[in-house]
């Protein structure tokens, strides 16, 4: 049984007994037993462990975890300290600096997660060196349900959707009180096609302040 030790335990009650998840769990047992899988099994649900349901003010949706050693630790776009900064994260930091003047160097995004940003990948595990290797195994159902639970919330949430994969989740966000911000993915292949200059970080904070909520501290 997965335990978040916060409000997600009640919100996700019964999820881990669903047939799709039991099938996913059996698949993961085999993967962790026979292959190198990221992140560590104890880090899979770090996003929800660090950002309780009622404290979520913004959501960033990634694709699947980094698939090389010493990178993934359960928060999308975040990398364990002491490792090279991935290009996408470098571009995110560049946009933050250009948008709101904050300079970041730490690749661990725990301050964001602890400060109300749910850093949720669409798929929560991956086999080493094989991007998208756990796609279509059930994680998408789980993360859809997480997004739907947030959509049901009365207090508004800002959803930052970067790239086609994240933007495909837009259909799940139906309540009009939430703010949806869309842009190209921050990877070097697409950052110049609409991510740079999107100003999502200042827009997110302006919206939060307009509803009487604390802005996000984007400093890592």
């Amino acid at each position: 049984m997965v335990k978040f030790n916060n409000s997600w335990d009640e919100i996700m009650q019964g999820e881990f007994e669903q047939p799709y998840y039991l099938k996913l769990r059996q698949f993961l047992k085999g993967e962790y037993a026979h292959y190198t899988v990221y992140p560590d099994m104890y880090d899979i649900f770090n996003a929800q462990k660090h950002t309780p349901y009622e404290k979520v003010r913004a959501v960033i949706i990634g694709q699947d975890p980094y698939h090389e050693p010493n990178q993934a630790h359960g928060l999308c776009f975040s990398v364990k300290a002491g490792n090279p900064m991935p290009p996408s994260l470098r571009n995110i930091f560049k946009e933050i600096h250009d948008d709101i003047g904050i300079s970041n160097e730490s690749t661990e995004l725990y301050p964001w997660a602890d400060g109300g940003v749910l850093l949720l990948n669409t798929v929560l595990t991956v086999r080493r060196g094989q991007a998208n290797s756990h796609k279509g195994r059930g994680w998408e159902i789980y993360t859809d349900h997480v997004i739907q639970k947030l959509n049901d919330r009365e207090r508004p949430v800002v959803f930052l959707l970067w790239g086609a994969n994240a933007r495909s989740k837009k259909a799940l966000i139906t309540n009009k009180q939430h703010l949806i911000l869309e842009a190209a993915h921050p990877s070097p292949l697409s950052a110049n096609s609409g991510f740079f200059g999107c100003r999502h970080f200042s827009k997110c904070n302006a919206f939060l302040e307009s509803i009487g909520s604390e802005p996000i501290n984007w400093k890592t």
Side-chain angles (χ1 to χ4, degrees):
M1 170 62 70
V2 175
K3 292 289 287 182
F4 303 107
N5 294 316
N6 62 35
S7 49
W8 283 111
D9 287 326
E10 182 178 350
I11 296 295
M12 304 303 292
Q13 191 172 21
E15 191 74 23
F16 302 106
E17 285 78 49
Q18 296 294 322
Y20 87 88
Y21 190 83
L22 296 176
K23 185 177 180 181
L24 170 62
R25 188 169 181 267
Q26 286 303 117
F27 166 74
L28 292 174
K29 280 185 177 179
E31 288 288 291
Y32 276 94
H34 297 103
Y35 302 98
T36 299
V37 175
Y38 301 124
D40 182 281
M41 65 177 66
Y42 296 106
D43 289 340
I44 292 174
F45 295 97
N46 265 350
Q48 287 170 276
K49 289 178 179 178
H50 280 265
T51 316
Y53 179 78
E54 74 281 359
K55 292 188 177 180
V56 175
R57 287 177 286 150
V59 181
I60 296 176
I61 300 174
Q63 187 166 307
D64 65 342
Y66 297 117
H67 54 263
E68 297 301 334
N70 303 312
Q71 293 185 316
H73 61 111
L75 305 177
C76 73
F77 294 108
S78 183
V79 170
K80 291 181 179 179
N83 293 282
M85 187 181 299
S88 291
L89 184 57
R90 189 177 304 280
N91 287 340
I92 290 170
F93 284 175
K94 180 182 186 302
E95 177 61 21
I96 289 173
H97 180 266
D98 292 348
D99 185 12
I100 55 178
I102 290 177
S103 297
N104 286 325
E105 294 182 1
S106 174
T107 61
E108 286 194 357
L109 304 182
Y110 284 124
W112 294 4
D114 294 332
V117 183
L118 185 69
L119 297 167
L120 184 71
N121 276 315
T122 302
V123 174
L124 302 190
T125 54
V126 68
R127 194 185 292 182
R128 177 177 178 171
Q130 298 182 38
N132 286 320
S133 50
H134 288 181
K135 183 179 180 180
R137 294 290 185 167
W139 279 128
E140 295 90 342
I141 300 172
Y142 176 82
T143 52
D144 278 0
H145 289 173
V146 172
I147 294 168
Q148 288 168 335
K149 297 291 187 184
L150 290 166
N151 180 60
D152 291 341
R153 237 182 55 170
E154 288 187 20
R155 189 156 185 80
V157 175
V158 182
F159 291 87
L160 296 91
L161 308 182
W162 301 333
N165 187 271
R167 293 167 89 166
S168 71
K169 302 292 190 183
K170 182 179 178 179
L172 301 171
I173 308 162
T174 57
N175 283 343
K176 301 301 183 185
Q177 75 267 25
H178 303 308
L179 176 65
I180 300 172
L181 298 174
E182 299 180 71
H185 194 276
S187 79
L189 296 174
S190 54
N192 285 311
S193 300
F195 180 76
F196 289 141
C198 70
R199 303 198 67 191
H200 279 187
F201 306 96
S202 60
K203 290 176 181 178
C204 172
N205 281 352
F207 175 79
L208 291 173
E209 289 180 309
S210 76
I211 61 169
S213 185
E214 285 289 317
I216 302 295
N217 181 0
W218 293 109
K219 180 69 178 174
T220 64

